[in-house]
């Protein structure tokens, strides 16, 4: 048959299709009884029309998928085919079911080789997602098993099919379409001599499923991030800086952003209020004196403008009187979280005596789970991987770089973190020149949002980016559902494919330093 002669159409089964359906089933299922009775099909169509899917070529049925709604807990455990059938061969479709059960998939032998079965399976998966069902279950026959039964147990046969040492027309197809074998079922269909009565319990898991009781309280899945590429400028007072911050928060809020992100140490121009700048440590401790006020004011803005704010970073004096470079997450409900910079650059350590923090965490927000790494920290891949192991959706990276080569270190490492951890990464920096203040003479930045590198994301894995070295704001809409899909069904699945049998990664417990660890 020539491909040019095909005129394929996907639609739902109708009662008038029964004669053609019977022809298909009688021809394919001649060894296990042939077609369902007409009243069985008509009732299934009436009770669950969306689940009965056909492919027609012109007006001829060439592919069919029959499906029922079932209770997941009942059918995700060993069962028999008869458990699906009531009196008078009525298929027991459960309107309150939370899973699909694949009854039959049939392709006209003359149309095999065109991957029509894959089309039907994809249509089933889309139905499962659209109905917010937990999974697709199926009892899969193993019709080639009779040829190997004398030498292989059913378990060994399945294992060899999974390793592609044996081809089974049903099981091999199911595995190729993302189904997993949960268990072996005995006497599933006793009359199925080819399978020796065995069947596999197969499951395709809907990773987008949300339990009904959580639908109303579930977090957003489409979120908007706004970032401020901040101009380092001379300020004559603290109020001027806060006024500029509020200006940007107001603007980002007007565009319904869920997050506003500021750069690392964005309030450093306040050092200019100090007459004598000869001592770098004195300068940075002077700057740290404004941090508490900034934290409280920015938290107020987060609540007032209904936006979560990643407050760049600021210098904090710790309880031990040491200096830390800290970013604050000011939630729009008033809560404040903190993340200290863990890896301190040689300049910070030498000139300002900044100390690295000891704790790393993912923070739950009303718009996803986020991690925060300050500038240099993103160049250490272990940190992002630890956050990814805690189901991080978005990594926020406030940074401060002076030259393009130092900026590119941050950018390239951030983009690698997005790919290897299958998450979004937001990098946000400052621009401008301020020669009158030590360490603020030059800036270089091009803020950006990076994504995993796969088909559902931009071809260059860049969601958005600013004009280099220009004060501006940037927006990007991030679909958190795409992260779930790429982690489960992407072209590559970096997180799933790690060789944990060869290596592992863990964060040491340093809580004893603060006396918070419970023995």
């Amino acid at each position: 048959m020539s491909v040019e002669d095909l005129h394929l159409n996907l639609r739902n089964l109708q009662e008038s299709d029964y004669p053609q359906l019977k022809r298909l089933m009688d021809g394919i299922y001649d060894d296990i009884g042939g077609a369902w009775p007409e009243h069985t099909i008509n009732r299934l169509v009436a009770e669950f029309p969306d689940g009965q899917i056909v492919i027609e070529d012109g007006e001829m049925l060439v592919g069919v998928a029959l499906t029922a709604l079932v209770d997941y807990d009942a059918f995700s455990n060993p069962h028999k085919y008869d458990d699906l059938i009531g009196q008078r061969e009525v298929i027991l479709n459960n309107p309150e079911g939370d899973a699909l059960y694949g009854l039959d998939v049939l392709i006209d032998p003359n149309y095999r080789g065109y991957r029509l079965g894959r089309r039907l399976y994809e249509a089933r998966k889309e139905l499962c997602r659209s109905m917010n069902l937990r999974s697709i279950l199926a009892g899969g026959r193993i019709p080639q098993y009779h040829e190997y039964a004398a030498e292989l147990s059913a378990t060994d046969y399945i294992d060899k099919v999974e390793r592609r040492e044996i081809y089974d027309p049903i099981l091999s197809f199911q595995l190729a379409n993302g189904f997993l074998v949960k268990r072996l079922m005995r006497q599933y269909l006793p009359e199925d001599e080819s399978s020796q009565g065995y069947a596999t319990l197969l499951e395709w898991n809907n990773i987008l499923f949300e339990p009904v009781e959580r639908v109303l309280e579930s977090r957003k899945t489409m979120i908007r991030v706004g970032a401020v590429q901040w101009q380092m400028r001379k300020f004559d007072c603290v109020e001027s800086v806060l006024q500029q911050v509020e200006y940007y928060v107001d603007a980002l809020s007007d565009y319904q952003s869920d997050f506003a992100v500021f750069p690392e140490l964005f309030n450093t121009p306040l050092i200019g209020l100090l007459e004598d700048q000869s001592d770098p440590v004195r300068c940075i401790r002077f700057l740290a004196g404004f941090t508490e006020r900034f934290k409280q004011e920015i938290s107020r803005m987060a609540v007032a403008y209904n936006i979560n704010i990643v407050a760049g970073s600021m210098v904090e004096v710790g309880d031990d009187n040491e200096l830390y470079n800290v970013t604050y997450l000011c939630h729009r409900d008033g809560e404040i979280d903190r993340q200290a910079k863990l890896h301190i650059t040689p300049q910070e350590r030498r000139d300002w005596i900044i100390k690295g923090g000891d704790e790393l965490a993912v923070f739950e927000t009303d718009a996803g789970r986020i991690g925060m790494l300050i500038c240099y920290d993103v160049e250490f891949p272990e940190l992002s991987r630890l956050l990814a192991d805690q189901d991080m959706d978005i990594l926020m990276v406030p940074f401060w770089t002076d030259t393009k080569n130092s900026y590119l270190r941050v950018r390239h490492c951030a983009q690698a973190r997005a790919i290897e951890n299958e998450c979004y990464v937001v990098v946000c920096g400052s621009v401008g020149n301020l020669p009158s203040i030590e360490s603020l003479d030059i800036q270089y930045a091009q803020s950006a949002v990076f994504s995993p590198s796969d088909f559902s994301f931009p071809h260059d894995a860049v969601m958005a980016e600013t004009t280099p070295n220009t004060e501006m704001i940037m927006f990007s809409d991030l679909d958190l559902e795409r992260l779930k899909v790429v982690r489960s069904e992407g072209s590559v699945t970096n997180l799933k494919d790690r060789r944990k049998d060869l290596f592992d990664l863990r964060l040491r417990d340093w809580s004893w330093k603060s006396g918070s660890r419970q023995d």
Side-chain angles (χ1 to χ4, degrees), residues 151-336:
E151 57 191 78
L152 293 175
S153 69
T155 302
D156 290 338
Y157 175 81
I158 292 168
D159 185 56
K160 286 184 176 292
V161 173
E162 289 180 328
R163 297 204 306 265
R164 297 192 178 185
E165 296 175 17
I166 295 175
Y167 174 79
D168 184 278
I170 292 180
L171 181 55
S172 296
F173 177 75
Q174 299 272 22
L175 295 173
N177 280 277
F179 281 75
L180 298 176
V181 177
K182 292 194 66 174
R183 64 184 76 240
L184 179 68
M185 298 188 293
R186 303 173 187 275
Q187 296 301 305
Y188 176 76
L189 196 62
E191 62 268 32
D192 180 9
E193 296 181 0
S194 296
S195 305
Q196 305 281 287
Y198 288 107
T200 55
L201 176 55
L202 297 149
E203 180 173 357
W204 177 83
N205 181 41
N206 177 15
I207 59 173
L208 304 181
F209 170 67
E210 287 283 354
V212 173
E213 61 270 18
R214 290 180 50 198
V215 168
L216 291 179
E217 60 187 42
S218 62
R219 68 187 186 189
K220 298 176 66 172
T221 58
M222 181 64 76
I223 67 168
R224 178 166 294 170
V225 171
V228 179
Q229 189 155 283
W230 176 267
Q231 174 87 32
M232 290 290 197
R233 53 169 60 84
K234 187 175 180 179
F235 292 102
D236 56 7
C237 63
V238 177
E239 288 74 20
S240 296
V241 186
L242 288 170
Q243 183 181 35
Q244 188 70 18
V245 171
E246 188 156 6
Y247 165 79
Y248 280 122
V249 170
D250 186 6
L252 295 172
S253 176
D254 282 346
Y255 286 97
Q256 287 80 50
S257 288
D258 296 289
F259 291 98
V261 187
F262 286 84
E264 178 184 18
L265 297 175
F266 67 95
N267 68 348
T268 309
L270 287 173
I271 291 176
L273 300 179
L274 192 61
E275 290 187 10
D276 181 5
Q277 299 177 30
S278 59
D279 182 355
V281 176
R282 181 169 177 264
C283 288
I284 207 68
R285 284 192 173 269
F286 173 77
L287 182 65
F290 301 111
T291 296
E292 186 60 30
R293 179 175 177 186
F294 269 80
K295 184 170 65 172
Q296 296 306 319
E297 284 293 315
I298 292 175
S299 179
R300 174 193 63 78
M301 296 177 202
V303 174
Y305 291 96
N306 190 29
I307 187 171
N308 301 298
I309 302 176
V310 178
S313 80
M314 292 173 270
V315 179
E316 177 185 278
V317 180
D319 293 337
D320 54 2
N321 202 38
E322 300 281 1
L323 296 178
Y324 296 89
N325 186 349
V326 178
T327 184
Y328 300 98
L329 172 60
C330 298
H331 298 254
R332 49 185 156 199
D333 64 1
E335 183 183 356
I336 302 176

Side-chain angles (χ1 to χ4, degrees), residues 44 49 53 133 142 218 227 246 248 276 286 294 314 318 336 359 394 396 436 477 485-486 516:
L44 188 61
I53 306 165
L133 301 174
I142 44 176
S218 62
E246 188 156 6
Y248 280 122
D276 181 5
F286 173 77
F294 269 80
M314 292 173 270
I336 302 176
E359 297 179 351
I394 310 168
M396 305 291 190
S436 61
D477 289 339
V485 174
V486 77
S516 61

Side-chain angles (χ1 to χ4, degrees), residues 101-160:
Y101 196 98
L103 296 165
D104 299 287
V105 171
L106 309 104
I107 303 297
D108 188 312
N110 295 321
Y111 284 78
R112 289 175 184 167
Y114 294 110
R115 301 198 172 200
L116 301 188
R118 185 178 295 273
R119 292 197 195 192
L120 292 170
Y121 270 69
E122 289 303 316
R124 256 191 196 156
K125 291 175 183 177
E126 186 54 39
L127 177 64
C128 185
R129 294 187 187 105
S130 67
M131 293 184 67
N132 190 37
L133 301 174
R134 290 181 62 169
S135 67
I136 302 174
L137 300 168
R141 300 171 59 211
I142 44 176
Q144 297 295 100
Y145 177 56
H146 68 282
E147 298 179 9
Y148 300 86
E151 57 191 78
L152 293 175
S153 69
T155 302
D156 290 338
Y157 175 81
I158 292 168
D159 185 56
K160 286 184 176 292

Side-chain angles (χ1 to χ4, degrees), residues 38-49:
E38 186 171 6
H39 73 270
T40 304
I41 296 300
N42 289 347
R43 178 159 175 172
L44 188 61
V45 169
E47 291 185 351
F48 188 28

Side-chain angles (χ1 to χ4, degrees), residues 68-72 75 84 92-94 96-101 137:
L69 283 164
V70 297
D71 178 67
Y72 177 85
F75 285 90
L84 288 157
L92 299 177
N93 180 72
N94 179 2
E96 303 300 320
D98 57 355
L100 294 179
Y101 196 98
L137 300 168

